[in-house]
Amino acid sequence: MTTAENLAQAVTPVVEDYLKTIYLMRRAHEQVKTVSLAARMKVKPSSVTAMVKALAEMGLVEHEPYYGVHLTANGERIALEVIRHHRLIELYLVEVLGFTWDEVHEEAEVLEHVISEKLEARIAAHLGHPAVDPHGDPIPKLDGTLPDTATRSLADVPERTSARLVRVCDQNAERLRYLAGLGVVPGAEVMVTAIAPFEGPVSVRVGKKIHALDRRLAQTILVED
Amino acid sequence: MTTAENLAQAVTPVVEDYLKTIYLMRRAHEQVKTVSLAARMKVKPSSVTAMVKALAEMGLVEHEPYYGVHLTANGERIALEVIRHHRLIELYLVEVLGFTWDEVHEEAEVLEHVISEKLEARIAAHLGHPAVDPHGDPIPKLDGTLPDTATRSLADVPERTSARLVRVCDQNAERLRYLAGLGVVPGAEVMVTAIAPFEGPVSVRVGKKIHALDRRLAQTILVED
DNA sequence: AGCAAAGTTTAGACCAGACTAAATTTTAAT
DNA sequence: ATTAAAATTTAGTCTGGTCTAAACTTTGCT
């Protein structure tokens, strides 16, 4: 505080969104560069340049041009808080208010920025301090830690092997409805019956039916290790 | 749509707040003039001038300088929607998540602008389509109507008469906690034991205890007709 | 090593919504 | 009828966040 950092800016919803996105991209082992961040945030690269500069001045990120952005401890704390809000809200909407898993992302996307810590606490308590949201995404703990979930995808399961689904890393509503229709949801027990060559589809048996899933889609579906 | 009104602006949270405030002030029979609206919105009068001009261009209000602002049909529709959100959220927080009535106003103040119509519907259904919020404030119906509640206040009840409390028109958290501590909440049955002269306090018996309430406070407490 | 493509930043504009300070208009009190 | 006080508006500035267009830097391919 000896330096002239008194000019601290506000952590607005937009700032929270940038931090959240940076966190999630790094977590997914993507490079967080101006262009890729712009694509994720649906803004132009020049807007990212300006915002990253502001975030750096707030002490929330560090930026190495042409290399990437990463969060400081403060930035990460905020990102995890927002992600915790998001995932708690998603689960609450499904468990308590009867939403389906394809409906909750958009709703949580705005609510995550405006709920108080008190409301967050009540929601968490009401849900019994859950570990994962309806998509199987882990919910950051209050202490700012985020446990890892499985990293093995359905496309990595050997043919003729069973696996229990734990997570679906996709927030497209139509695909989520499609998967739910097939019974492909966290918790389901499935058998991989075939994996076509040349990046072809992955066939799985759910109950008595067999469904062929596009390889890229199968890669977003994670199974228990 | 033949005129050049295609330049329609967005109904932002700030716009919603102005409309809501204008509605509530008129409903309370207050004049809605630049200065009084500025005081309510906690902005400077010049900001109100600018915003009222914008609202008028959007067709949401009409403004007669030195006389007052009033809502158009469209403006009123939006105002009532926001008030419906606000009051449903307040009740939900109390009934489902264990909030107290003094905690919910601030929370609802931001949530009211961001919940979807779907979430509003789920909340209303979950609560059984309630008529009033925790303060006894009526909840606007889906059809855009807002039933009146009682208009007689505790200060209008004759001495040595009983009355049932139906509404507390105060959103100050400390006063609400104070009143709750006395048992002065909607639904309570009280007896007015004395009304002091010269705008003096109103004494009420709640259960076995007698409490003296400031006249202005008593006037915010409405009783059944 | 040279050069095009890709990535990044700068410069300048815009919008919403607030502000201050100054001007203007209306009201109300003598 | 005058005039002081109150109310309102105008003019210009600021901030956060976006944009386009143009410039600049790095990377990577031949």
Side-chain angles (χ1 to χ4, degrees), chain A residues 49-82:
Chain A
T49 298
M51 178 55 78
V52 166
K53 189 182 157 200
L55 295 176
E57 272 162 14
M58 289 187 240
L60 300 176
V61 306
E62 278 164 22
H63 182 212
E64 197 86 38
Y66 294 92
Y67 174 70
V69 184
H70 69 267
L71 299 178
T72 63
N74 263 343
E76 184 170 311
R77 189 181 44 73
I78 296 170
L80 282 165
E81 213 167 289
V82 175

Side-chain angles (χ1 to χ4, degrees), chain A residues 10 17 36 110 114 118 123 126 137 147 159 166 168 172 181 183 207 220:
Chain A
D17 273 333
S36 52
V110 288
V114 299
K118 188 185 289 171
I123 289 173
H126 198 278
D137 300 328
E159 289 181 328
V166 299
V168 176
N172 177 276
T220 69

Side-chain angles (χ1 to χ4, degrees), chain B residues 11-22:
Chain B
V11 176
T12 61
V14 172
V15 166
E16 290 183 349
D17 274 332
Y18 273 90
L19 297 175
K20 182 183 69 167
T21 302
I22 293 166

Side-chain angles (χ1 to χ4, degrees), chain A:
Chain A
M1 287 298 174
T2 54
T3 58
E5 311 220 13
N6 314 340
L7 341 161
Q9 298 289 42
V11 176
T12 62
V14 173
V15 166
E16 291 183 348
D17 273 333
Y18 273 90
L19 296 175
K20 181 183 69 167
T21 302
I22 292 165
Y23 182 89
L24 292 175
M25 286 176 76
R26 289 194 76 89
R27 186 96 186 180
H29 309 105
E30 294 173 45
Q31 280 195 303
V32 186
K33 304 173 78 174
T34 306
V35 164
S36 52
L37 185 50
R40 279 294 199 93
M41 292 296 301
K42 299 193 176 167
V43 298
K44 301 298 169 190
S46 56
S47 304
V48 169
T49 298
M51 178 55 78
V52 166
K53 189 182 157 200
L55 295 176
E57 272 162 14
M58 289 187 240
L60 300 176
V61 306
E62 278 164 22
H63 182 212
E64 197 86 38
Y66 294 92
Y67 174 70
V69 184
H70 69 267
L71 299 178
T72 63
N74 263 343
E76 184 170 311
R77 189 181 44 73
I78 296 170
L80 282 165
E81 213 167 289
V82 175
I83 293 167
R84 177 172 160 84
H85 287 183
H86 184 100
R87 294 181 177 169
L88 280 171
I89 290 164
E90 287 195 340
L91 186 62
Y92 189 89
L93 292 174
V94 167
E95 292 292 308
V96 181
L97 285 166
F99 278 68
T100 53
W101 76 337
D102 57 289
E103 297 174 323
V104 292
H105 180 74
E106 299 306 310
E107 200 84 50
E109 202 63 18
V110 288
L111 288 170
E112 65 188 10
H113 303 295
V114 299
I115 66 170
S116 68
E117 293 307 292
K118 188 185 289 171
L119 180 49
E120 177 207 306
R122 299 289 172 112
I123 289 173
H126 198 278
L127 294 169
H129 302 284
V132 297
D133 81 1
H135 311 96
D137 300 328
I139 297 172
K141 309 257 172 235
L142 265 180
D143 64 13
T145 60
L146 179 53
D148 264 308
T149 53
T151 52
R152 202 164 59 125
S153 88
L154 207 49
D156 304 323
V157 175
E159 289 181 328
R160 320 214 145 270
T161 316
S162 286
R164 219 171 76 90
L165 308 185
V166 299
R167 187 174 177 186
V168 176
C169 300
D170 190 328
Q171 43 208 31
N172 177 276
E174 286 173 53
R175 277 193 298 271
L176 289 175
R177 275 196 296 277
Y178 165 66
L179 290 174
L182 305 183
V184 174
V185 294
E189 198 74 51
V190 309
M191 151 88 71
V192 174
T193 59
I195 300 184
F198 308 116
E199 295 296 307
V202 175
S203 295
V204 297
R205 190 173 66 221
V206 189
K208 291 180 179 159
K209 291 199 173 165
I210 291 181
H211 307 287
L213 301 174
D214 182 273
R215 175 71 59 96
R216 284 156 304 174
L217 184 53
Q219 280 164 346
T220 69
I221 299 165
L222 305 186
V223 304
E224 216 164 47
D225 284 316

